């Protein structure tokens, strides 16, 4: 029975990674058709908030119990990661934008080591170094940054936002009063919608774009179908399946499976959008994923208290994601978009 539950969890984790990995591929044609990247983020987050509103009502006590946690999740994990991710993929390939976001765990290690002055494991530090080398290959730095520099900076901003979110999540999830992750996700979408409403000014959306068609490679697809995919599949479905998968798997296993999101996004962009990557970019992407895997799955031998070694489990993809975002212990997550984009509360699940 236990093996059956783990197999089901593994299947759900794979489904979640696939769902998050398709967010950028579905969103980029809408952006290229004339939809502003910030408007794309607002439509995604607002649509998800509307669908998840029954969960928010069910867990309405969270507004009183964990207001800062909800605000941080919505502002950083939902609005911040996704806004920077979508802005970056409007200028650089989908796979590269997502790979840049995967530098979040490496940046988190730097914060823990040099700002909080806590020791980290050698494996975690090695993973961060591998990820940085991979980034240099992805952007082909020896060619004078052949990718759009602003697109690269926006991707790095998504990674910074992801790392900052991990720090906030570690503070917000301490104590015995652990919030239900489904409620946090629902309210994160609501808070993210409010924040993005101020930033994106949705009343200026060119609604004619959504009523027309968008080019996906050599295909012409109804814009409404792409938007429905981004909201229902790449956000709501991906987040919820990610949560359930972590309930059945350990956060470490779910986090490793979540690394497939970047691979899936790159392959889909290659097949559907014709975004071909060079050999060095493919090698660099593998190094980034490998470094993320090492950094996220490394465990220290001692306790993770003040002054003790830091434990890292899981990964956020927030954006998209994803674009994925998760609340994990000292920055654990499982599934992106992702920003990554996937968002599950690993530490919450580990304590549940």
């Amino acid at each position: 029975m236990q093996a059956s539950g783990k197999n089901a969890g593994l299947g759900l984790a794979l489904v979640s990674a696939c769902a998050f990995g398709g967010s950028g591929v579905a969103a980029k044609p809408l952006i290229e058709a004339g939809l502003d990247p910030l408007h794309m983020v607002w439509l995604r987050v607002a649509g998800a908030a509307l669908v998840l509103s029954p969960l928010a009502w069910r867990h309405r006590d969270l507004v009183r119990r964990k207001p800062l946690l909800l605000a941080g999740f919505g502002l950083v994990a939902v609005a911040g990661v996704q806004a920077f991710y979508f802005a970056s993929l409007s200028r650089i390939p989908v796979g590269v934008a997502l790979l840049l976001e995967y530098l979040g765990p490496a940046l988190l290690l730097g914060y823990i080591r040099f700002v909080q002055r806590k020791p980290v494991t050698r494996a975690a530090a090695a993973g961060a170094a591998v990820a940085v080398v991979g980034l240099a290959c992805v952007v082909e730095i020896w060619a004078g940054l052949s990718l759009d520099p602003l697109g690269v900076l926006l991707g790095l901003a998504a990674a910074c936002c992801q790392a900052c979110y991990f720090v906030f999540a570690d503070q917000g999830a301490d104590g015995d009063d652990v919030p239900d992750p489904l409620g946090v996700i629902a309210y994160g979408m609501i808070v993210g919608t409010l924040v993005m409403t101020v930033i994106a000014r949705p009343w200026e959306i060119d609604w004619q774009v959504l009523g027309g068609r968008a080019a996906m490679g050599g295909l012409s697809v109804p814009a409404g179908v792409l938007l429905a995919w981004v909201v229902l599949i790449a956000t709501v479905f991906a987040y919820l399946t990610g949560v359930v998968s972590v309930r059945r798997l350990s956060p470490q296993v779910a986090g490793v499976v979540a690394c497939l999101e970047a691979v899936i996004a790159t392959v889909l962009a290659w097949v559907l959008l014709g975004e071909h990557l060079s050999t060095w970019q493919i090698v660099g992407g593998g190094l980034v994923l490998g470094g993320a895997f090492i950094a996220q799955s490394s465990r220290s031998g001692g306790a993770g208290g003040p002054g003790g070694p830091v434990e890292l489990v899981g990964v956020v993809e927030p954006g998209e994601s994803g674009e994925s975002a998760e609340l994990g212990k000292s920055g654990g997550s499982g599934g992106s978009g992702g920003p990554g984009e996937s968002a599950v509360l690993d530490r919450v699940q580990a304590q549940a």
Side-chain angles (χ1 to χ4, degrees), residues 73-92:
F73 188 91
L75 179 62
V76 182
V78 175
V81 174
Q82 294 192 40
F84 284 123
Y85 170 70
F86 277 118
S88 68
L89 69 80
S90 69
R91 308 181 69 93
I92 59 178

Side-chain angles (χ1 to χ4, degrees), residues 23-36:
S23 63
V25 175
K28 187 160 188 175
L30 295 175
I31 294 174
E32 292 180 338
L35 195 65
D36 186 272

Side-chain angles (χ1 to χ4, degrees), residues 20 81 101 194 231 250 309:
F20 274 118
V81 174
E101 188 179 333
L194 296 176
V231 172
S250 68

Side-chain angles (χ1 to χ4, degrees), residues 137-163:
C137 294
V138 168
V139 302
E140 295 182 337
I141 194 169
W142 55 84
L145 199 63
S146 60
L147 293 175
D148 184 295
L150 180 57
V152 172
L153 289 176
L154 290 169
L156 292 174
C160 292
C161 202
Q162 183 190 86

Side-chain angles (χ1 to χ4, degrees), residues 21-274:
S23 63
V25 175
K28 187 160 188 175
L30 295 175
I31 294 174
E32 292 180 338
L35 195 65
D36 186 272
L38 290 179
H39 290 163
M40 182 67 248
V41 175
W42 184 88
L43 289 168
R44 179 184 188 182
V45 176
L50 181 63
V51 174
L52 294 174
S53 57
L55 284 176
W57 176 254
R58 179 179 178 183
H59 299 287
R60 55 190 179 277
D61 62 311
L62 285 176
V63 177
R64 174 182 53 82
R65 290 168 47 210
K66 299 287 184 178
L68 293 180
L69 177 60
L70 300 183
F73 188 91
L75 179 62
V76 182
V78 175
V81 174
Q82 294 192 40
F84 284 123
Y85 170 70
F86 277 118
S88 68
L89 69 80
S90 69
R91 308 181 69 93
I92 59 178
V94 172
V96 176
L98 193 57
L99 289 169
L100 289 172
E101 188 179 333
Y102 265 73
L103 283 177
L107 296 176
L108 175 66
L109 285 177
Y111 175 85
I112 292 172
R113 179 65 183 89
F114 298 108
V115 178
Q116 293 187 335
R117 298 188 179 279
K118 294 180 181 179
V120 297
T121 63
R122 291 183 178 179
V130 170
V132 171
V133 172
L135 171 62
C137 294
V138 168
V139 302
E140 295 182 337
I141 194 169
W142 55 84
L145 199 63
S146 60
L147 293 175
D148 184 295
L150 180 57
V152 172
L153 289 176
L154 290 169
L156 292 174
C160 292
C161 202
Q162 183 190 86
C164 291
Y165 166 71
F166 281 147
V167 176
F168 180 87
D170 184 49
Q171 298 174 350
D174 286 339
D176 298 327
D177 186 18
V178 179
D180 189 297
L182 297 179
V184 174
I185 290 172
Y187 275 104
M189 294 297 172
I190 293 175
V191 173
T193 300
L194 296 176
V195 173
M196 290 308 303
T197 297
V198 176
I199 298 175
R201 303 168 65 89
W203 51 87
E204 297 179 354
I205 291 178
D206 185 0
W207 297 101
Q208 292 182 350
V209 173
L210 299 178
R213 304 179 72 87
M216 177 180 281
L219 302 175
S220 178
V221 183
V225 172
L226 294 176
L227 179 61
W229 179 276
V230 171
V231 172
L232 298 177
I233 304 299
T235 307
V236 175
F237 179 73
Y239 272 57
L240 295 181
T241 52
V243 169
V244 176
S245 72
V246 176
R247 287 183 181 274
R248 295 175 179 268
L249 298 172
S250 68
Q252 299 94 309
V253 175
V256 170
V257 176
C259 289
L260 290 175
E261 178 191 341
V263 178
I264 292 167
T266 302
V267 171
L268 289 177
W270 196 323
V271 173
L272 298 178
L273 303 181

